[in-house]
């Protein structure tokens, strides 16, 4: 019951957060120089045509009224229509969101798996060559620009070695039937194993590029928290009992050191959802980052506003999920 109340309270708090976000985004977007009507009709459009389009799009109304109309649609579950394509945004954004989720989940799976394991063993082998090499690699991983890493991956693994495709989400000569727009799931549902292999091959390079920074951060955080746990009395007791290294590290040390790591995983997942635009651009990945980037170039206000709100909502929900997982890993945490 306490947990249910906690979830309900957090969901209610989501409303003012999204309203505040919508005001900030709406205000910033309308201060961006440029005319959406001219972006749609082109530089050679006549003033009459431009004025008519502005009237049709409601751009001549006061900003306050434009915001009220926008929020009115949101409260009715309607994200509005794209100014440029006239398509419903809710329908248009779904394939892009699915592509970004698939890439983000793959990048985070890679980062979490290797980050936690490398961090644990770096802590266990503190001050050894392995520990020093890992910390140096993690420092490089945090510092390295994603666009440079992505280009180097394409040069080495795609162009020189030919192991992986350099871009796109799948081989367009062998189309995939979109069921959920999550192509890994779609190929499994369709029994298209050749397509599944193709989708996974296309996912490797962008997921590696996107997951490098989270991997480095998770590895450093894991090493730090596990080192702290290894100094505890219960670890000394476990060693005195003669437990093996694996049990000491994974059953005792990691379990008690996992809360800060979980926090980092949640924050990194949320930031990747909205910040993957560089990776998506380099690898031609049709994700929501590129969708918003194109909308910004075209001054498509409704798409920008709705897209950012959707990402903000997912970010808050991911953090709520992380908060709930705290109690699962540490029963001492209660939501009273």
């Amino acid at each position: 019951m306490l947990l249910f109340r906690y979830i309900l309270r957090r969901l209610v708090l989501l409303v003012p957060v999204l309203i505040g976000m919508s005001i900030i985004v709406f205000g910033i977007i309308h201060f961006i120089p440029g005319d959406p009507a001219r972006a749609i009709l082109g530089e050679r459009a006549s003033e009459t045509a431009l004025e008519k389009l502005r009237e049709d799009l409601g751009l001549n109304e006061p900003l306050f009224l434009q915001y009220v109309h926008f929020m009115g649609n949101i409260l009715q579950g309607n994200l509005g229509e794209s100014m440029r394509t006239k398509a419903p945004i809710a329908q248009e954004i779904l394939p892009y969101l699915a592509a970004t989720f698939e890439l983000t989940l793959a990048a985070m799976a890679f980062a979490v798996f290797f980050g936690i394991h490398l961090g644990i063993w770096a802590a266990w082998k503190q001050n050894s060559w392995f520990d020093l090499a890992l910390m140096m690699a993690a420092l490089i991983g945090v510092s390295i620009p994603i666009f440079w890493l992505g280009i180097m991956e394409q040069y080495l693994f795609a162009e020189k070695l030919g192991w992986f495709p350099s871009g796109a989400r799948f081989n367009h000569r062998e189309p995939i039937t979109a069921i959920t727009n999550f192509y890994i799931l779609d190929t499994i549902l369709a029994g298209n194993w050749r397509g599944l292999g193709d989708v996974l091959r296309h996912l490797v390079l962008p997921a590696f590029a996107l997951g490098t920074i989270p991997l480095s951060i998770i590895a450093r955080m894991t090493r730090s928290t596990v080192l702290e746990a290894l100094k505890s009395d219960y670890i000394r007791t476990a060693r005195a009992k003669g437990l093996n290294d694996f049990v000491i590290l994974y059953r005792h040390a990691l379990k008690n050191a996992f809360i800060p790591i979980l926090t980092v995983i949640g924050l990194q997942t949320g930031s990747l959802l909205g910040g993957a635009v560089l990776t998506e651009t380099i690898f031609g990945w049709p994700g929501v980052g590129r969708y918003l980037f194109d909308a910004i170039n075209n001054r498509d206000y409704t798409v920008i506003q709705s897209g950012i709100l959707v990402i903000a909502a997912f970010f808050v929900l991911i953090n709520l999920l992380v908060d709930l997982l705290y109690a699962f890993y540490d029963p001492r945490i209660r939501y009273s």
Side-chain angles (χ1 to χ4, degrees), residues 160-203:
K160 289 295 179 186
L161 298 175
W163 291 354
F164 302 104
S166 61
R169 208 175 162 197
F170 61 93
N171 185 352
H172 290 276
R173 293 179 180 175
E174 298 178 9
I176 292 171
T177 305
I179 304 171
T180 64
N181 288 306
F182 290 88
Y183 287 165
I184 292 178
L185 183 60
D186 288 349
T187 50
I188 292 173
L189 289 176
N192 181 4
W193 308 118
R194 182 184 172 89
L196 175 62
D198 180 54
V199 169
L200 291 175
R201 287 183 70 241
H202 280 81
L203 195 55

Side-chain angles (χ1 to χ4, degrees), residues 5-6 18 26 58 141 170 177 180 191 195 231 240 267 269 289-290 295 312-313 316-317:
R5 286 181 183 172
Y6 177 79
L18 291 179
F26 186 88
F170 61 93
T177 305
T180 64
K231 296 173 185 172
L267 291 173
T269 305
R290 282 193 63 198
V316 177
L317 288 174

Side-chain angles (χ1 to χ4, degrees), residues 42-59:
E43 291 298 325
R44 296 183 178 179
S46 67
E47 270 308 316
T48 308
L50 289 171
E51 191 58 30
K52 184 175 184 311
L53 184 58
R54 289 188 197 110
E55 192 67 34
D56 292 344
L57 296 175
L59 296 172

Side-chain angles (χ1 to χ4, degrees), residues 79-93:
L79 294 177
E81 291 182 350
S82 164
M83 286 182 173
R84 191 168 58 90
T85 63
K86 288 293 180 186
I89 295 171
Q91 182 182 336
E92 201 175 64
I93 201 172

Side-chain angles (χ1 to χ4, degrees), residues 185-263:
L185 183 60
D186 288 349
T187 50
I188 292 173
L189 289 176
N192 181 4
W193 308 118
R194 182 184 172 89
L196 175 62
D198 180 54
V199 169
L200 291 175
R201 287 183 70 241
H202 280 81
L203 195 55
V204 170
L205 294 186
F208 181 82
L210 192 62
T212 300
I213 291 179
L215 185 154
S216 305
I217 295 172
I218 291 169
R220 290 169 68 91
M221 177 60 75
T222 304
R223 177 185 179 274
S224 170
T225 53
V226 170
L227 265 179
E228 194 66 31
L230 289 176
K231 296 173 185 172
S232 304
D233 291 339
Y234 63 88
I235 295 295
R236 279 193 281 272
T237 304
R239 282 173 169 160
K241 285 181 176 177
L243 297 179
N244 63 46
D245 296 351
F246 184 86
V247 173
I248 291 174
L249 285 172
Y250 287 89
R251 184 178 294 178
H252 297 287
L254 178 61
K255 187 176 181 181
N256 288 282
F258 200 66
I259 295 293
I261 302 169
L262 191 58
T263 305

Side-chain angles (χ1 to χ4, degrees), residues 253-324:
L254 178 61
K255 187 176 181 181
N256 288 282
F258 200 66
I259 295 293
I261 302 169
L262 191 58
T263 305
V264 169
I265 292 172
L267 291 173
Q268 289 296 315
T269 305
S271 64
L272 289 190
L273 276 177
V277 61
L278 268 179
T279 308
E280 290 174 357
T281 302
I282 291 168
F283 289 97
W285 194 265
V288 74
R290 282 193 63 198
Y291 179 60
L292 290 179
F293 182 75
D294 292 340
I296 291 170
N297 280 337
N298 292 311
R299 304 293 186 271
D300 197 335
Y301 292 162
T302 51
V303 168
I304 303 169
Q305 291 161 179
S306 301
I308 292 177
L309 271 186
V310 169
I311 291 173
F314 277 116
F315 189 89
V316 177
L317 288 174
I318 287 170
N319 279 287
L320 171 62
L321 179 64
V322 169
D323 285 350
L324 297 177

Side-chain angles (χ1 to χ4, degrees), residues 101-137:
F101 267 108
E102 199 165 71
L103 176 59
T104 300
L105 291 177
M108 286 308 297
F110 160 70
V112 170
F113 181 81
F114 287 102
I116 288 179
H117 285 81
L118 291 173
I120 289 174
W121 288 101
W124 187 246
K125 305 287 183 184
Q126 186 186 15
N127 296 330
S128 66
W129 68 266
F130 176 78
D131 181 27
L132 295 174
L134 181 70
M135 287 303 98
M136 189 174 292

